[in-house]
Amino acid sequence: MTEAILLVGGKGTRLRPLTVHTPKPMVRAAGVPFLTHQLARARAAGVEHIVLATSYLAEVFEPHFGDGSALGLHIEYVTEEEPLGTGGAIRNVASRLHSGPEDPVLIFNGDILTGLDIRRLVDTHATTGADVSLHLTRVTDPRAYGLVPTDPTGRVLAFLEKPQTPEEIVTDQINAGAYVFRRSVIDTIPAGRPVSVERETFPDLLSAGAHLQGMVDSTYWLDLGTPAAFVRGSADLVMGRAPSPAVPGRCGDRLVLPTATVAPDAKLTGGTVVGEGAFVAEGARVFGSTILPGAVIEPGAVVTDSLIGTRARVGRRSVLTGTVIGDGAIVGADNELRDGVRVWCDARIPAGAVRFSSDQ
């Protein structure tokens, strides 16, 4: 296997305001664009040629990754003029593939952080003679996901919508967002219109008698679709809980990028990342958070499980927990922002304007 498709066209609406100026795969996790981790893991598994299926803010990918040679890859870019869904995006890039009809093509969703054994998935595909092989993972609460039951040999039996009642939960296996397609199967996907692999391609293949093989791999798996999940994924990369050869430094409790400045008495823990040119002032405490390039954390501020956007500023003694601060936003001194708060890009919150406790 030498080829892969990465689906990176989504708008990342659940991650806004992080994705106002930056497509989701290019938001930094553990100091580098998240896509870098996926590309590096694919290369480590033997992939040499990758096609990026882009759409939203497509123009930012190629200037960063170029032809891929810095990562030991050959990268090509295909942009959808209109969103085509997962299946439509796969079909849209088919002309860039070099594989023969029976060769395997690896396909990744661009927002999944996983410890998947890629080589094992490809080996499973080859040894079972499948038309499509799917990475499946087990989750404690499958109600938020479509279910994928399999027989004792791993052959997929059905694709079930999100269960509405306990009786509908027939398995804890879900589609984990990585596939191996027989090259010829890609050509059967309708061209030029939106297609969902989950709702159309896979069920149609099953109905036609195709062999869809599931491989359960329950190593690390996280959908980075929400700000809380993205922050957690970045911290897990820093601490080594999620594997990636692209983390720019040793795994540990903190990652401070070159040109960042951290005061000697500032405390950084829990997988915190401080990006290039960012500044964490004296007495500040930052736990499990991502500080993007050029951001400033002023003296005495406390930031927990939060993401601070590029060139944003958190004022003196402000306390942030589970929040997202957009690029260029300013949170004045002595504010309290709690779980779920999103401050939009370039917004201004005056000193002491938002509190959950007494001002005494």
Side-chain angles (χ1 to χ4, degrees), residues 292-314:
L292 290 180
V296 174
I297 311 299
E298 293 189 357
V302 180
V303 180
T304 304
D305 298 336
S306 297
L307 196 147
I308 312 303
T310 302
R311 300 179 312 281
R313 179 178 290 266
V314 176

Side-chain angles (χ1 to χ4, degrees), residues 3-28:
E3 290 198 291
I5 298 169
L6 264 84
L7 305 175
V8 293
K11 291 185 176 180
T13 52
R14 291 183 296 159
L15 276 178
R16 290 170 72 87
L18 296 179
T19 51
V20 170
H21 304 301
T22 307
K24 178 166 52 176
M26 296 299 288
V27 177
R28 289 173 178 259

Side-chain angles (χ1 to χ4, degrees), residues 4 36 47 63 88 122 167 250 284 313:
T36 306
V47 175
V122 177
E167 292 74 25
R250 297 177 60 184
R313 179 178 290 266

Side-chain angles (χ1 to χ4, degrees), residues 102-104 121-134 154-155 180-185 210-214:
E102 299 303 305
D103 291 338
L121 180 63
V122 177
D123 289 344
T124 296
H125 180 79
T127 57
T128 60
D131 296 297
V132 180
S133 297
L134 297 86
R155 188 158 182 158
V180 179
F181 273 64
R182 189 190 305 271
R183 170 68 180 84
S184 58
V185 173
H211 180 176
L212 276 67
Q213 184 73 21

Side-chain angles (χ1 to χ4, degrees), residues 41 45 114-122 135 215 217 219:
R41 294 198 73 246
T114 176
L116 168 67
D117 185 338
I118 297 171
R119 290 182 185 272
R120 180 171 161 242
L121 180 63
V122 177
H135 171 209
M215 188 199 80
D217 184 317
T219 52

Side-chain angles (χ1 to χ4, degrees), residues 9-329:
K11 291 185 176 180
T13 52
R14 291 183 296 159
L15 276 178
R16 290 170 72 87
L18 296 179
T19 51
V20 170
H21 304 301
T22 307
K24 178 166 52 176
M26 296 299 288
V27 177
R28 289 173 178 259
V32 297
F34 173 67
L35 181 55
T36 306
H37 299 289
Q38 290 187 305
L39 293 171
R41 294 198 73 246
R43 181 67 190 94
V47 175
E48 298 172 357
H49 176 222
I50 291 185
V51 184
L52 296 188
T54 67
S55 179
Y56 176 66
L57 296 176
E59 66 276 7
V60 308
F61 291 94
E62 188 167 3
H64 185 89
F65 293 107
D67 63 2
S69 56
L71 293 169
L73 292 164
H74 172 51
I75 298 177
E76 294 187 68
Y77 305 83
V78 177
T79 300
E80 302 165 21
E81 298 305 321
E82 297 291 336
L84 295 172
T86 47
I90 293 167
R91 181 66 178 86
N92 191 51
V93 306
S95 63
R96 301 295 185 92
L97 298 173
H98 306 153
S99 303
E102 299 303 305
D103 291 338
V105 178
L106 183 67
I107 298 171
F108 285 120
N109 279 337
D111 54 2
I112 301 295
L113 177 59
T114 176
L116 168 67
D117 185 338
I118 297 171
R119 290 182 185 272
R120 180 171 161 242
L121 180 63
V122 177
D123 289 344
T124 296
H125 180 79
T127 57
T128 60
D131 296 297
V132 180
S133 297
L134 297 86
H135 171 209
L136 307 179
T137 193
R138 293 190 173 99
V139 294
T140 304
D141 183 0
R143 290 176 297 177
Y145 304 95
L147 309 183
V148 186
T150 56
D151 72 10
T153 70
R155 188 158 182 158
V156 174
L157 299 174
F159 292 89
L160 306 177
E161 292 297 324
K162 295 175 183 178
Q164 303 299 311
T165 65
E167 292 74 25
E168 292 178 319
I169 302 176
V170 298
T171 181
D172 59 357
Q173 296 175 175
I174 67 166
N175 177 357
Y179 320 111
V180 179
F181 273 64
R182 189 190 305 271
R183 170 68 180 84
S184 58
V185 173
I186 293 175
D187 293 327
T188 69
I189 300 173
R193 68 169 176 85
V195 180
S196 165
V197 290
E198 300 87 354
R199 295 183 179 86
E200 183 176 347
T201 303
F202 293 157
D204 286 356
L205 286 169
L206 273 186
S207 297
H211 180 176
L212 276 67
Q213 184 73 21
M215 188 199 80
V216 176
D217 184 317
S218 294
T219 52
Y220 186 98
W221 184 87
L222 185 65
D223 178 348
L224 300 184
T226 66
F230 201 96
V231 171
R232 190 169 103 226
S234 178
D236 286 347
L237 283 162
V238 172
M239 293 187 290
R241 294 172 179 166
S244 170
V247 176
R250 297 177 60 184
C251 291
D253 222 24
R254 55 190 264 174
L255 175 64
V256 178
L257 275 293
T259 72
T261 303
V262 177
D265 66 342
K267 185 175 183 179
L268 310 178
T269 59
T272 288
V273 182
V274 183
E276 294 93 337
F279 176 62
V280 181
E282 60 271 13
R285 291 176 288 159
V286 186
F287 307 98
S289 297
T290 295
I291 313 301
L292 290 180
V296 174
I297 311 299
E298 293 189 357
V302 180
V303 180
T304 304
D305 298 336
S306 297
L307 196 147
I308 312 303
T310 302
R311 300 179 312 281
R313 179 178 290 266
V314 176
R316 291 172 177 265
R317 298 175 301 279
S318 282
V319 178
L320 279 59
T321 303
T323 64
V324 177
I325 309 301
D327 296 341

